[in-house]
Amino acid sequence: MIQSDNANYKNQTPLGFMLSHLRKHWLSLTAGFLVLVAVNGIQLIIPRIIQHILDVIADETFTAVTVTRSALTIFGLAFLMLILRFFWRYLIVRPSRIVEQSMRNSMFEKLLKLSSSYFNKTKVGDLMALFINDLNAIRMATGMALIGLFDAIFLSTMSLLFMLSISPELTMYTVLPLPLIIFIFIKTSKTIQNRYTDVQRAFDSISSHTQESLSGIRVIKGFVQEKMERDRLYAACDSYVDKNIRLVKIWGILFPSITMLASSSLVLLICIGSSFVMNNKLTIGQFVSFTFYINLMVWPMIATGWVFNLLQKGIASSKRVLELLNTMSDVSGTDVKPDSAQINGEIEFRNCTFRYTSDSRDVLRSVSFKIPQGGSLGIIGRPGSGKTTLASLLCHVYKVEKGQVFIDNTDINDIPLSSLRMSISYVPQDSFLFSDTIAANIGFSRDGAIDRDEIERVAKIACVHDDIMELTDGYATKIGERGITLSGGQKQRIAIARALLADSSILILDDSLSAVDPVTESKIKMNLKPEIKKKTSLIIAHRVSTIRDCDQIIVLSDGQIAEHGTHDQLVGKNGFYARLYELQSMQEES
Ligand SMILES: Nc1ncnc2c1ncn2[C@@H]1O[C@H](COP(=O)(O)OP(=O)(O)OP(=O)(O)O)[C@@H](O)[C@H]1O
Ligand SMILES: [Mg+2]
């Protein structure tokens, strides 16, 4: 497996970034370019042989043997080129594939380290485009573009030397239009790069729209919004086509201009070269081989247009990849080996105030509470009151100010992220299940070392074992993306089982029993009792019945703790909790 490096890319230019990845393959690249030199050398010799044949024909000194020998030599060289071309492709293109893979690994590792704030701001579709389109452009730039560039420099220079050796005077005339080609490239470079970046952005938009539409396809159909979604996607596609046409337009002018300039070299050769032949300054063989050399020089130069295009795209894409790699996570983590034994699970929030962005309002305000090790806290409150936010802060998903959240009397900022997260089993409000078997989903925290008995044990606690056994493949049943073949309640209970399997000292259930009926809920609660006793637990709920047995309960209201106490104390207070309890008890009775 190719390892990605975790180097700091802060001071790297996009081109330097690509080159630094290529440098690791210098041996393969050097060998590849040597083979390429050999192929180019053969290409350069062939016109010489043709020149020789033509000259001996013109001299009438040719014999069947000399011509046959020359023809066989050309055939032999062509065959040798065939073999050598395989090797240079292999030796030069392979590193570009490895560069692509290594960058992909670095990018993925980076994504795994970034905090939730980044994913709140970034669309999945944009990231998909980065992983597919941009890496593809970088691969082309570090592979085919390099070959093209080398060919352009080597073949052009060598051809020029051969031309000079035939006739310096004729060479002077015929290369006159060529500096103009280089001038045009330099002049248009920035515009091409900008237009290509626009194309990539437009592609991001298509990718995001497609991804969102597919993820939300059931909602779209449910609200009969197919037309609106189609129009949105068509608009993104139109913009993509427009941006591409802008890019094509500039190439449409550039390519023919360069081809025309290159052709004018041939025109000069025909006009001036033919007079040289007539004046015996040049043999017919030299004239013909000169034509070959001019082609060998001009075509790589024309191809520089294509090379240039690939390089520009590669640089623009490399810049985008660097942007991702240089993104700083606002939650600092360390790579310290996780050690869950270090964390016992005493939790304290001290005057915790939190807002998601600097310009938004406070979502939590001066929240203070303490849960001793092995204790349980129930959290209840209206939607949007800050319950999930509170749980996220405990998992250090968002940046927490120093001196606000403590675990085992240690500031959460001083606990290595990996240790912290290893000590917390978190069942989020919207559980995500992977497109894998049910067993793999439950055993997710065990890195594939899944003990079937253990899995069944936790599935039984979460009251989902019987449901699983009813499926044709039982625990081996594959679930589709987001577990679409399962009901909401089944998904919730699988997520609970998954959390129970993790060997952690803190358990957070965020509204995790909302989709199960009251009978199953009380069964799960009964089953969970011994588990909860072993861990410090935070149970977020909308139903009083879910949290009434907790050691302490807080009622969150607009980010503040409005009520705090045991179930009995809160019922006695005649506040929000008591009213909610009364209302829900009446509903359950009816
Ligand atoms: N990622 C986020 N970025 C910005 N604001 C957010 C984000 N997540 C939540 N909020 C806001 O923070 C407030 C509290 O949200 P939170 O999800 O904590 O509420 P909750 O009590 O869990 O609600 P519910 O009972 O519906 O789950 C809401 O006003 C919400 O709009
Ligand atoms: Mg919530």
Side-chain angles (χ1 to χ4, degrees):
M1 197 191 82
I2 286 148
Q3 291 292 318
S4 62
D5 50 330
N6 288 317
N8 188 349
Y9 305 105
K10 269 273 172 281
N11 298 320
Q12 276 195 322
T13 60
L15 184 63
F17 176 58
M18 289 196 287
L19 291 179
S20 68
H21 275 77
L22 271 179
R23 209 171 292 139
K24 294 171 197 153
H25 307 281
W26 68 270
L27 202 64
S28 173
L29 288 173
T30 312
F33 283 118
L34 284 177
V35 180
L36 194 53
V37 166
V39 173
N40 286 346
I42 296 172
Q43 273 186 285
L44 288 161
I45 287 170
I46 290 176
R48 278 279 153 150
I49 301 171
I50 292 170
Q51 178 187 332
H52 174 70
I53 298 173
L54 288 175
D55 283 343
V56 290
I57 291 173
D59 286 356
E60 295 182 3
T61 55
F62 74 100
T63 61
V65 177
T66 51
V67 172
T68 314
R69 195 188 297 139
S70 303
L72 280 177
T73 312
I74 292 177
F75 181 77
L77 289 173
F79 185 70
L80 187 61
M81 274 207 287
L82 180 126
I83 297 168
L84 292 178
R85 276 196 171 126
F86 166 81
F87 282 106
W88 71 243
R89 260 182 185 273
Y90 175 78
L91 290 164
I92 301 175
V93 172
R94 188 172 167 270
S96 70
R97 288 272 174 195
I98 301 176
V99 166
E100 180 193 12
Q101 190 181 351
S102 156
M103 284 191 188
R104 183 177 291 125
N105 291 357
S106 301
M107 285 159 66
F108 196 68
E109 266 181 38
K110 182 76 197 184
L111 286 182
L112 291 178
K113 282 183 187 155
L114 286 171
S115 75
S116 293
S117 329
Y118 178 79
F119 296 98
N120 285 344
K121 289 186 298 217
T122 315
K123 291 181 181 163
V124 174
D126 292 2
L127 290 173
M128 300 278 282
L130 204 61
F131 270 80
I132 298 166
N133 242 19
D134 290 282
L135 283 180
N136 197 24
I138 290 175
R139 177 172 53 77
M140 290 302 282
T142 50
M144 294 315 286
L146 272 195
I147 296 164
L149 192 68
F150 183 83
D151 260 359
I153 296 170
F154 184 82
L155 266 186
S156 303
T157 318
M158 292 308 286
S159 304
L160 191 68
L161 291 177
F162 274 92
M163 282 157 63
L164 282 169
S165 75
I166 296 171
S167 166
E169 201 185 342
L170 189 57
T171 308
M172 288 262 290
Y173 290 120
T174 48
V175 298
L176 270 180
L178 301 182
L180 253 177
I181 296 182
I182 297 162
F183 175 77
I184 293 176
F185 275 138
I186 294 170
K187 276 284 163 208
T188 48
S189 130
K190 197 81 213 154
T191 318
I192 292 173
Q193 223 182 82
N194 290 342
R195 290 192 183 182
Y196 176 68
T197 306
D198 289 345
V199 168
Q200 288 295 75
R201 289 219 179 95
F203 185 80
D204 283 357
S205 172
I206 294 184
S207 172
S208 293
H209 271 97
T210 315
Q211 189 267 335
E212 263 179 36
S213 304
L214 293 179
S215 298
I217 192 77
R218 275 161 291 168
V219 181
I220 294 169
K221 284 180 182 289
F223 286 90
V224 202
Q225 287 302 314
E226 287 94 335
K227 185 179 173 319
M228 194 189 81
E229 278 305 307
R230 196 175 47 219
D231 291 348
R232 268 167 43 139
L233 186 73
Y234 282 3
C237 292
D238 284 348
S239 157
Y240 181 61
V241 171
D242 283 350
K243 298 284 178 334
N244 260 309
I245 287 174
R246 267 164 58 79
L247 186 65
V248 165
K249 269 183 192 162
I250 193 159
W251 280 113
I253 298 168
L254 204 63
F255 260 124
S257 317
I258 293 162
T259 313
M260 202 201 78
L261 282 170
S263 309
S264 58
S265 283
L266 275 175
V267 173
L268 285 170
L269 170 69
I270 292 166
C271 296
I272 304 167
S274 54
S275 74
F276 274 41
V277 175
M278 277 189 266
N279 297 332
N280 286 334
K281 279 183 172 176
L282 215 63
T283 66
I284 190 81
Q286 283 175 319
F287 178 79
V288 172
S289 75
F290 204 95
T291 319
F292 272 101
Y293 285 125
I294 224 171
N295 264 319
L296 276 181
M297 182 182 71
V298 162
W299 284 111
M301 283 195 108
I302 293 176
T304 39
W306 173 74
V307 169
F308 198 66
N309 185 9
L310 291 185
L311 278 177
Q312 297 288 359
K313 284 181 176 179
I315 290 172
S317 290
S318 170
K319 196 167 157 198
R320 284 158 52 91
V321 169
L322 268 177
E323 264 167 34
L324 166 68
L325 293 176
N326 282 328
T327 307
M328 294 296 286
S329 176
D330 56 4
V331 173
S332 55
T334 60
D335 287 332
V336 177
K337 201 176 179 325
D339 180 5
S340 61
Q342 281 175 349
I343 291 179
N344 297 318
E346 187 193 83
I347 298 167
E348 186 180 358
F349 272 60
R350 259 184 228 162
N351 250 328
C352 180
T353 299
F354 176 79
R355 57 172 65 181
Y356 279 97
T357 49
S358 52
D359 52 355
S360 64
R361 65 184 182 89
D362 287 340
V363 174
L364 289 179
R365 292 183 287 158
S366 303
V367 171
S368 297
F369 61 83
K370 196 167 179 174
I371 321 172
Q373 179 189 344
S376 60
L377 174 79
I379 307 171
I380 203 160
R382 289 200 173 87
S385 54
K387 304 180 293 295
T388 299
T389 307
L390 195 148
S392 307
L393 291 192
L394 186 62
C395 298
H396 208 171
V397 172
Y398 296 101
K399 188 172 167 13
V400 185
E401 293 302 327
K402 274 215 167 289
Q404 295 202 321
V405 180
F406 295 82
I407 295 181
D408 293 350
N409 265 320
T410 310
D411 191 309
I412 202 169
N413 290 292
D414 300 329
I415 303 175
L417 265 188
S418 41
S419 297
L420 176 78
R421 303 227 173 119
M422 282 288 282
S423 349
I424 299 178
S425 296
Y426 182 27
V427 185
Q429 204 162 2
D430 49 349
S431 290
F432 181 87
L433 299 182
F434 296 93
S435 307
D436 205 335
T437 62
I438 291 180
N441 267 287
I442 296 179
F444 186 67
S445 62
R446 293 280 170 95
D447 280 347
I450 312 160
D451 181 338
R452 178 60 189 264
D453 292 343
E454 266 290 274
I455 287 177
E456 282 194 19
R457 184 185 71 82
V458 289
K460 280 176 187 159
I461 296 175
C463 291
V464 69
H465 174 76
D466 293 343
D467 295 54
I468 296 171
M469 292 315 284
E470 274 173 23
L471 299 169
T472 16
D473 293 327
Y475 282 86
T477 307
K478 284 227 174 211
I479 40 187
E481 199 184 52
R482 286 176 182 265
I484 44 167
T485 53
L486 297 173
S487 75
Q490 285 167 333
K491 279 196 277 183
Q492 270 193 342
R493 282 173 286 152
I494 287 178
I496 294 175
R498 170 162 71 191
L500 292 176
L501 201 63
D503 183 20
S504 58
S505 46
I506 299 170
L507 174 71
I508 305 175
L509 300 181
D510 188 351
D511 213 8
S512 308
L513 296 170
S514 60
V516 295
D517 63 285
V519 179
T520 316
E521 180 187 357
S522 57
K523 233 162 109 184
I524 297 175
K525 272 170 57 190
M526 279 292 290
N527 295 348
L528 276 177
K529 261 189 184 154
E531 296 293 322
I532 286 180
K533 272 218 158 54
K534 286 189 268 176
K535 300 173 196 268
T536 309
S537 39
L538 258 89
I539 301 172
I540 298 171
H542 280 113
R543 282 204 301 255
V544 169
S545 59
T546 317
I547 53 161
R548 60 175 295 166
D549 299 329
C550 290
D551 302 341
Q552 49 174 328
I553 293 164
I554 56 173
V555 177
L556 272 185
S557 169
D558 201 14
Q560 277 181 308
I561 297 183
E563 293 166 42
H564 189 174
T566 60
H567 171 76
D568 292 338
Q569 285 168 342
L570 293 184
V571 170
K573 270 190 184 165
N574 276 329
F576 172 84
Y577 186 88
R579 280 202 304 280
L580 196 66
Y581 177 54
E582 202 179 329
L583 204 70
Q584 289 178 357
S585 306
M586 271 167 26
Q587 275 170 354
E588 268 164 38
E589 276 165 24
S590 62

